Amino acid sequence: MNAASKPMIIGVGMTEFGRHLTRPVRDLAGEAIRLALADAALSIGDIQMVYFGNATQGATEGQGSIRGQVVLRHLGFEGIGVVNVENACATGATALIEAAKAVRAGACDIALAVGVEKMVFEDRGKMAGVFEGGMDVTRIDQTIADMAALGNGVTVPDDFTGMAQYSPFMDVYAGLGRMHMREYGTTIEQIAAVAAKNHQNSVLNPHAQYRRGMTVEEVLNARGVTYPLTVAMCAPVSDGAAAAIVCSPAVARRRGLCGRALAIEGTALRSGVDRDPRDLDRHISALTAHDAYAAAGMGPGDMSLAEVHDATAVGEIMQIEHLGFCPRGEGGPYSARGATRIDGRIPVNPSGGLEAKGHPIGATGLGQIYELATQLRGEAGARQVAQARFGIAENGGGVLGAEEAVCAVTILSAPAKGL
Amino acid sequence: MNAASKPMIIGVGMTEFGRHLTRPVRDLAGEAIRLALADAALSIGDIQMVYFGNATQGATEGQGSIRGQVVLRHLGFEGIGVVNVENACATGATALIEAAKAVRAGACDIALAVGVEKMVFEDRGKMAGVFEGGMDVTRIDQTIADMAALGNGVTVPDDFTGMAQYSPFMDVYAGLGRMHMREYGTTIEQIAAVAAKNHQNSVLNPHAQYRRGMTVEEVLNARGVTYPLTVAMCAPVSDGAAAAIVCSPAVARRRGLCGRALAIEGTALRSGVDRDPRDLDRHISALTAHDAYAAAGMGPGDMSLAEVHDATAVGEIMQIEHLGFCPRGEGGPYSARGATRIDGRIPVNPSGGLEAKGHPIGATGLGQIYELATQLRGEAGARQVAQARFGIAENGGGVLGAEEAVCAVTILSAPAKGL
């Protein structure tokens, strides 16, 4: 992609991620959209196309098919193109990538990507079975058993019950984690170091769900969910929304918005790779990251920071390997020695990540974009990464390592000086 | 859009629409995809990006989030980008428009759009409430009442029960139909003429659900659903899938596929217009058609045929007005005098339309594209429209005339000679 055709992000907005018991989808989405419009100094009438991401509203509220249209009409949007998109936990990044595509195709000047999820209900039964909808429903038990079996040969301590109660995906991550321990000698202390770093980062992020610093010991001593994961290593159930506004470089220039605009240097989207889940070099995330680097004409060494899909701390260890920040198998010691901290070699999840910032499914990928934008503009305050120039976001969905996986990677650059 | 950048449709496929009780979503989608690949002389490995459209699988089968990924992995696709899209009854056309956008953006050379719906179950309870998901669920009763009230002042005969039993959308169309009768003098006989024409056309279409010719009298004598609609004027509940493959003109030329390729001359997508539903000139369909004509540099008089969203016969009468085939209010007499028949001025729904071909929600828009492609290639056999050069498809969703409506319009041209 040549520089002149690279779409730009000119505004971002997000709600606090967390428990918003009384706020429906439309209210959460509305807040993120209004904040993004204000950030870009645009009004509703400037938006010509909307990509609306949500994964669970059909199951929890019965609102299907026209989720975006219903939200947008309440906000005052009228007569524009709206596409409802869904890609499991990678829904938010998918919405952004499609908005960028619409701009690049010349289908519109200015597009809005929004992701929203409402997952916390007084009636917990509302979410029963919803997570399973992100797996192939004809073989959920088999998928979980297959993924758990990847970790065979690792002894599970008595204080881990062995099965996650709130999401089958935790068992998938546990299997991958035990595989990583067996194959590369990764330790539970190294995994805990990832979680502790993320919880510590979240203290500095006003949008984060937890904002409660934890030491490695506290992470290890938290309730055991499914070995090697304690509850402090797992993303919570969250409500929230995030949005980003995309336009062409020409429109950004014409409107005088380049001073705070982030160029989308490269994007990539892939789904399930039919292979042996133990062959990590052919992992969907590794292939998708490779595509995004190629599109941007960059490599891992160019990145100033990353937001990665740490639905569990095991995920972060594997994703930093897939992104090429450290050699295969060294994610554990690399993390434990501080290379991913805000003052480390390449800071990872300065926002607190999914583990501490929260994980409202459809909003998560755009929440990552919000953090990259904030950091690359130098507006991240106490959690600011020094000299942030290029940032990468990796947003995953489906069953990591199985054939129905999704991965979306986006590389952004800081506002160019003197434009 | 200049000619060199117009994406092309190089392959189409569809299942028979109808009752496929024992065939799950993946099987229906698989048939349409395989047929489209065969039509384009491509293999699975040639497809770089998929837009997968479905509206109800979450509610009926619990498969959410990664519907496309699950289908595609079973067919042997691997590692490519997949985006699940949803826009109520306009889902299929949305998938096509997004695939065309991806090609135009240079995000891929060859993209597949597929739409599928499984709606017929032995257990009819499976579909309970699903239609309502296509309305704003917080005010369904109000929406239906508002739309029904549009028809106030028209006397309803005793043999119409007044409320549709299988879908609240029939009551919406009935309200619009009574409004049209009151405002323009449209008669139930004219509405019946539309349905009779469509049922007659379907006899000649091997993909149609009914294929049973009906006279105007038979349509009028069918069971009254909600005035002025008899059951013969309403689309049935259907299973089915349809697919189209899109590429750039350069790729079509390089692969020698131009001989049967259809250029996408123009597309447009809009959602809900916040206005008085009685102001038909500002109707979402009129505005969307205007956009598509402008993109194509054409007008209604250039069209050789149309496939329009006749979820009821009232819909067809209103849509041919929105598309500019006849003046506002004259859709009834225009239809009754045969102008929309296969041998008429501009044939409309030569496939039999939603009323007789069937209406498997997510597949419907791509089923229209299948018919346009077949006609524009001169491959429609006994239902061939003479000298078909340009075709237009109008695919609607949500509540026609309310703010949460969707409309997608696509204009295709016949294969250029001598390429």
Side-chain angles (χ1 to χ4, degrees):
Chain A
M1 211 186 317
N2 66 57
S5 70
K6 280 176 189 162
M8 308 191 94
I9 293 176
I10 51 171
V12 291
M14 71 180 284
T15 66
E16 197 175 307
F17 283 180
R19 293 167 60 86
H20 296 285
L21 268 175
T22 61
R23 302 182 62 188
V25 159
R26 70 177 56 161
D27 185 50
L28 295 166
E31 181 183 339
I33 292 170
R34 281 191 208 97
L35 289 167
L37 286 168
D39 187 46
L42 294 178
S43 59
I44 284 173
D46 293 314
I47 303 295
Q48 297 163 336
M49 184 85 212
V50 179
Y51 289 84
F52 189 89
N54 173 267
T56 67
Q57 200 188 3
T60 57
E61 298 182 9
Q63 184 65 65
S65 297
I66 50 163
R67 306 174 210 181
Q69 283 84 354
V70 170
V71 165
L72 295 165
R73 67 181 286 277
H74 282 274
L75 296 175
F77 286 83
E78 72 175 67
I80 62 172
V82 177
V83 178
N84 296 287
V85 301
E86 198 174 342
N87 256 345
C89 298
T91 293
T94 299
L96 178 75
I97 288 173
E98 295 307 302
K101 230 174 252 176
V103 167
R104 243 161 68 208
C108 60
D109 284 337
I110 304 181
L112 168 70
V114 57
V116 58
E117 214 71 52
K118 171 78 198 142
M119 303 172 72
V120 184
F121 295 95
E122 290 283 8
D123 169 13
R124 291 192 176 203
K126 278 215 176 194
M127 284 296 289
V130 173
F131 289 113
E132 285 79 356
M135 296 182 167
D136 179 343
V137 295
T138 63
R139 47 156 222 168
I140 291 173
D141 291 345
Q142 190 60 46
T143 298
I144 296 173
D146 288 349
M147 298 304 288
L150 295 174
N152 284 351
V154 173
T155 307
V156 175
D158 288 344
D159 51 344
F160 282 83
T161 53
M163 285 296 280
Q165 295 189 0
Y166 72 92
S167 162
F169 286 96
M170 297 301 117
D171 288 314
V172 169
Y173 273 108
L176 290 163
R178 295 199 299 274
M179 178 178 84
H180 210 271
M181 296 169 92
R182 186 191 64 227
E183 297 294 319
Y184 302 112
T186 305
T187 66
I188 191 170
E189 289 77 14
Q190 291 164 350
I191 299 169
V194 171
K197 179 266 295 175
N198 285 337
H199 283 285
Q200 199 56 53
N201 288 351
S202 78
V203 174
L204 307 172
N205 183 357
H207 292 101
Q209 181 160 353
Y210 285 146
R211 288 177 251 171
R212 200 169 61 220
M214 294 187 85
T215 63
V216 172
E217 289 65 38
E218 286 170 326
V219 171
L220 288 169
N221 290 332
R223 180 168 62 81
V225 174
T226 173
Y227 189 76
L229 302 172
T230 68
V231 71
M233 300 173 187
C234 300
V237 173
S238 316
D239 300 327
I245 298 171
V246 182
C247 74
S248 67
V251 170
R253 268 194 303 276
R254 197 162 65 230
R255 288 179 172 258
L257 294 171
C258 289
R260 293 175 75 242
L262 301 306
I264 302 177
E265 298 287 340
T267 65
L269 175 69
R270 280 181 179 262
S271 291
V273 180
D274 190 13
R275 44 138 212 89
D276 182 342
R278 292 165 300 185
D279 178 5
L280 295 175
D281 294 330
R282 293 275 310 158
H283 191 279
I284 181 175
S285 299
L287 299 176
T288 314
H290 178 271
D291 291 349
Y293 286 133
M298 296 180 192
D302 295 309
M303 297 300 112
S304 317
L305 77 153
E307 287 278 306
V308 307
H309 200 86
D310 62 321
T312 71
V314 164
E316 180 168 318
I317 286 179
M318 298 181 76
Q319 295 302 341
I320 59 176
E321 297 176 6
H322 294 315
L323 294 180
F325 293 173
C326 64
R328 176 73 55 211
E330 295 184 20
Y334 178 85
S335 297
R337 68 172 178 262
T340 59
R341 294 195 326 210
I342 287 177
D343 59 357
R345 183 172 160 267
I346 305 176
V348 176
N349 285 330
S351 69
L354 284 59
E355 289 168 79
K357 182 175 59 177
H359 181 22
I361 301 176
T364 292
L366 282 158
Q368 295 178 325
I369 296 300
Y370 181 92
E371 180 69 12
L372 291 190
T374 306
Q375 293 281 354
L376 292 168
R377 287 167 170 178
E379 299 172 353
R383 69 182 191 284
Q384 180 65 48
V385 170
Q387 296 170 310
R389 185 145 176 245
F390 298 109
I392 186 167
E394 178 274 328
N395 186 201
V399 182
L400 233 175
E403 294 151 9
E404 62 261 36
V406 185
C407 186
V409 175
T410 309
I411 298 173
L412 304 183
S413 58
K417 292 194 177 65
L419 274 182
Chain B
M1 209 185 319
N2 65 58
S5 71
K6 281 176 189 162
M8 308 192 94
I9 293 177
I10 52 172
V12 292
M14 72 180 282
T15 66
E16 197 174 307
F17 284 180
R19 294 169 57 88
H20 295 286
L21 267 174
T22 61
R23 302 181 62 187
V25 160
R26 71 178 55 162
D27 185 49
L28 295 166
E31 181 184 339
I33 292 170
R34 281 191 207 96
L35 289 168
L37 286 169
D39 186 47
L42 294 177
S43 59
I44 284 173
D46 292 314
I47 303 295
Q48 296 163 336
M49 184 86 210
V50 179
Y51 289 85
F52 189 90
N54 173 267
T56 67
Q57 200 188 3
T60 57
E61 298 182 9
Q63 184 66 64
S65 297
I66 50 164
R67 304 174 211 181
Q69 283 85 354
V70 170
V71 165
L72 295 165
R73 68 179 287 278
H74 281 274
L75 297 175
F77 286 83
E78 71 176 67
I80 62 172
V82 177
V83 178
N84 296 287
V85 301
E86 200 174 342
N87 255 346
C89 298
T91 294
T94 299
L96 178 76
I97 288 173
E98 295 307 302
K101 231 175 252 176
V103 167
R104 243 160 70 206
C108 61
D109 284 337
I110 305 181
L112 168 70
V114 56
V116 58
E117 215 70 53
K118 171 76 197 144
M119 303 173 72
V120 184
F121 295 96
E122 290 283 8
D123 168 14
R124 291 192 177 202
K126 278 214 175 196
M127 284 296 289
V130 173
F131 289 113
E132 284 79 355
M135 296 183 167
D136 179 343
V137 294
T138 63
R139 48 155 223 170
I140 291 173
D141 291 345
Q142 190 61 47
T143 298
I144 296 173
D146 288 349
M147 299 303 290
L150 293 174
N152 283 351
V154 173
T155 307
V156 175
D158 288 343
D159 51 344
F160 282 82
T161 54
M163 286 295 282
Q165 295 190 2
Y166 72 94
S167 161
F169 287 95
M170 297 302 117
D171 288 314
V172 169
Y173 273 108
L176 289 164
R178 295 198 300 273
M179 177 178 84
H180 210 272
M181 296 169 92
R182 186 191 64 226
E183 298 294 319
Y184 304 111
T186 306
T187 66
I188 191 169
E189 288 77 14
Q190 291 164 349
I191 300 170
V194 171
K197 179 263 298 175
N198 286 336
H199 283 285
Q200 199 55 54
N201 288 351
S202 77
V203 174
L204 307 172
N205 183 356
H207 291 102
Q209 182 160 353
Y210 285 145
R211 287 176 252 171
R212 202 170 58 221
M214 293 186 87
T215 63
V216 171
E217 289 64 39
E218 286 169 328
V219 170
L220 288 170
N221 291 331
R223 179 169 63 80
V225 174
T226 173
Y227 190 76
L229 302 172
T230 68
V231 70
M233 299 173 187
C234 299
V237 173
S238 316
D239 301 327
I245 299 171
V246 183
C247 74
S248 67
V251 169
R253 268 194 301 276
R254 198 162 64 231
R255 289 179 172 259
L257 295 172
C258 288
R260 293 176 74 243
L262 301 306
I264 302 177
E265 298 288 339
T267 66
L269 175 67
R270 280 181 179 261
S271 291
V273 180
D274 190 13
R275 45 138 210 90
D276 182 343
R278 292 165 299 185
D279 178 6
L280 295 175
D281 294 330
R282 294 274 311 159
H283 190 280
I284 181 173
S285 298
L287 299 176
T288 313
H290 178 271
D291 292 348
Y293 285 132
M298 297 181 192
D302 297 309
M303 297 300 111
S304 318
L305 78 152
E307 287 278 307
V308 308
H309 199 87
D310 63 321
T312 71
V314 164
E316 180 167 319
I317 286 179
M318 297 181 76
Q319 295 303 340
I320 59 177
E321 296 175 6
H322 294 314
L323 293 180
F325 293 173
C326 64
R328 177 74 55 212
E330 295 183 20
Y334 179 84
S335 298
R337 68 172 178 262
T340 60
R341 293 194 328 209
I342 288 176
D343 60 357
R345 184 173 160 264
I346 305 177
V348 175
N349 286 328
S351 68
L354 284 59
E355 289 168 79
K357 181 174 60 177
H359 181 21
I361 301 178
T364 292
L366 283 158
Q368 295 179 324
I369 296 300
Y370 181 93
E371 180 69 12
L372 290 190
T374 305
Q375 293 281 356
L376 292 169
R377 287 167 171 178
E379 298 172 353
R383 70 182 190 285
Q384 180 66 47
V385 170
Q387 295 171 310
R389 183 144 176 244
F390 298 109
I392 187 166
E394 178 274 328
N395 187 201
V399 182
L400 234 175
E403 294 151 7
E404 63 262 37
V406 185
C407 186
V409 174
T410 308
I411 298 173
L412 304 183
S413 60
K417 291 194 177 67
L419 276 180

